[in-house]
Amino acid sequence: MRVLHFYKTYYPDSVGGIEQVIRQLCVGTGRMGVVNQVLSLSRQQDLRPFQFEGHTVHRVPLNLEIASNACSLPAIGALARLAAESDVVHYHFPWPFMDLTHFIARIRKPTVVTYHSDIVRQKHLLRLYQPLKHRFLQSVDTIIATSPNYMASSAVLDRYRDKTRVITYGLDQSTYPRPEPERLAHWRAKVGPKFFLFVGVLRYYKGLHILLDAVAGTDYPVVIVGAGPIEQELKAHAARLGLTNVLFVGALDDLDKVALLELCYAVAFPSHLRSEAFGISLLEGAMFGKPMISSEIGTGTTYINVDGETGLVVPPSDPDAFRAAMRTLWDNPGLAHAMGARAAARYHELFTSEQMAANYTGLYHELVARRAQVALAAAKA
């Protein structure tokens, strides 16, 4: 079974949540006999294919970017060529240029699209994009929603219920490095023995301004891991609030990130818009047995973090509610520990990479078999 993944960014150029999902998919399904390739866009000079954790990564030049829509003319030919060598093409939505490329490259192989998120921000451009979006979603064989919550709350997915099924994200904890004691001691000395942790790309929908407002006037230590387009804006906001208990540590490698996940008291995840369709770093917190605080935005975040069970869920864009949730966990270590234990149990029950890989591997074989049956019926007609 040969599968081609197509998305605008991938390792090592970008290490966001969707890239992590594709990585986990490739590693997990690779163990089940799937030969994976990834095609993505890049600004790098050296674009030779390379091997990464058992799969092949192909990159083409990124020519221009309009409203987060990365475009590349060489991607059209590359998609056509690599798809011809594959059994299944696996798209990762949203990315409008991908939809267009699918049609220009005249893809005829079985197709699946993982629907990672609705398009939330570019409302004016979305109106122009609507016809292409729906033509693309109508053309693919299967659409995957990443949680029951998102399936139930997305007006777009509601139009395609007959071809949509749910496969949740999964993580393989064995792919995460184990930090040595010296690294743990370094971070413990730097951030203290008890702190809230945020991990993620610093984007508008992550709601970090809400977290900063929530800790204003408190002494709760907060560590923010990540870089991104609003980093300076957030630092300026923290400075205006006079926050001395918030530490921005920038983007970290996996060893340092895992060290902080192991050391933290709880995970703070204030995303307040539906652009946050799932929350991979929230799932990482569950995987490491940490209680979580998140907002109810009708997406997969509340499928990971069940209010009162694995952590606390508050209304979006409400710093007072977020502060109260932080206070509840901070003042009740026994409750926090029990919630963290239940979060880890929920991860093992629902969110392992092995489960995700098995579901997708089964789907790939189903799509290929279905296409073969159609071809056989057409030949007999």
Side-chain angles (χ1 to χ4, degrees):
M1 178 64 64
R2 299 163 299 174
V3 175
L4 172 64
H5 295 266
F6 188 36
Y7 187 58
K8 60 184 177 181
T9 53
Y10 193 58
Y11 290 82
D13 299 76
S14 178
V15 292
I18 294 178
E19 295 90 330
Q20 174 72 299
V21 171
I22 297 171
R23 172 195 176 195
Q24 295 281 342
L25 262 176
C26 290
V27 172
T29 60
R31 292 171 178 161
M32 298 177 180
V34 176
V35 178
N36 290 283
Q37 298 189 87
V38 179
L39 174 62
S40 67
L41 279 51
S42 175
R43 298 183 186 275
Q44 301 300 317
Q45 296 298 314
D46 185 358
L47 297 178
R48 290 174 295 180
F50 65 93
Q51 293 295 309
F52 178 67
E53 296 185 342
H55 55 280
T56 306
V57 179
H58 302 266
R59 296 181 293 174
V60 292
L62 190 160
N63 296 141
L64 74 155
E65 195 165 8
I66 305 171
S68 300
N69 184 32
C71 303
S72 168
L73 287 176
I76 299 170
L79 178 62
R81 174 177 56 83
L82 292 169
E85 303 168 358
S86 304
D87 298 305
V88 175
V89 178
H90 190 153
Y91 294 115
H92 295 269
F93 183 97
W95 180 23
F97 177 76
M98 173 186 70
D99 304 12
L100 184 63
T101 304
H102 166 76
F103 291 111
I104 297 176
R106 299 185 178 184
I107 302 303
R108 299 290 183 264
K109 294 298 180 75
T111 49
V112 57
V113 56
T114 297
Y115 192 95
H116 294 279
S117 172
D118 292 332
I119 295 177
V120 177
R121 197 178 196 189
Q122 292 90 3
K123 293 184 178 179
H124 297 298
L125 292 175
L126 180 58
R127 283 197 290 269
L128 296 174
Y129 168 52
Q130 291 277 32
L132 174 62
K133 176 182 74 175
H134 287 296
R135 186 183 172 201
F136 172 70
L137 293 174
Q138 287 165 359
S139 73
V140 298
D141 295 303
T142 300
I143 301 170
I144 299 300
T146 57
S147 71
N149 302 45
Y150 215 87
M151 176 76 175
S153 63
S154 171
V156 175
L157 291 179
D158 192 53
R159 294 180 56 165
Y160 302 100
R161 285 186 173 270
D162 60 328
K163 65 163 65 177
T164 302
R165 65 182 72 178
V166 174
I167 299 178
T168 60
Y169 295 150
L171 299 177
D172 180 354
Q173 193 163 5
S174 71
T175 65
Y176 286 71
R178 297 292 301 272
E180 63 278 9
E182 294 78 11
R183 192 176 301 256
L184 292 169
H186 162 79
W187 281 110
R188 191 178 292 109
K190 188 169 184 176
V191 302
K194 187 178 180 182
F195 60 93
F196 291 95
L197 178 68
F198 168 86
V199 179
V201 180
L202 308 188
R203 302 190 191 279
Y204 71 96
Y205 60 82
K206 294 293 184 180
L208 284 164
H209 61 289
I210 301 162
L211 176 59
L212 297 179
D213 290 342
V215 297
T218 77
D219 57 0
Y220 304 143
V222 174
V223 177
I224 295 176
V225 176
I230 64 167
E231 182 174 357
Q232 296 309 315
E233 177 184 329
L234 290 169
K235 289 180 176 178
H237 187 53
R240 284 193 300 272
L241 293 172
L243 300 180
T244 59
N245 51 330
V246 175
L247 180 63
F248 291 86
V249 297
L252 299 178
D253 62 22
D254 283 348
L255 271 169
D256 287 316
K257 184 182 80 170
V258 170
L260 288 170
L261 279 165
E262 289 189 3
L263 292 172
C264 75
Y265 183 71
V267 168
F269 200 78
S271 294
H272 64 305
L273 297 173
R274 282 182 59 81
S275 299
E276 188 69 80
F278 195 81
I280 288 297
S281 60
L282 189 67
L283 183 55
E284 288 174 333
M287 183 174 70
F288 281 92
K290 303 299 176 177
M292 299 164 280
I293 304 172
S294 59
S295 299
E296 178 55 85
I297 51 178
T299 72
T301 61
T302 316
Y303 188 57
I304 300 168
N305 184 25
V306 180
D307 186 38
E309 179 181 334
T310 62
L312 299 172
V313 178
V314 301
S317 301
D318 190 337
D320 292 337
F322 210 95
R323 182 187 303 116
M326 296 177 79
R327 183 183 307 117
T328 296
L329 291 184
W330 191 263
D331 292 344
N332 296 277
L335 175 67
H337 178 77
M339 286 180 166
R342 290 193 291 267
R346 187 168 174 81
Y347 155 75
H348 285 291
E349 178 186 356
L350 298 174
F351 301 115
T352 64
S353 174
E354 185 177 10
Q355 290 169 295
M356 177 179 68
N359 287 331
Y360 271 107
T361 300
L363 173 61
Y364 296 151
H365 285 284
E366 177 187 327
L367 291 175
V368 170
R370 187 192 308 168
R371 184 65 62 92
Q373 288 173 351
V374 171
L376 181 61
K380 291 180 178 179

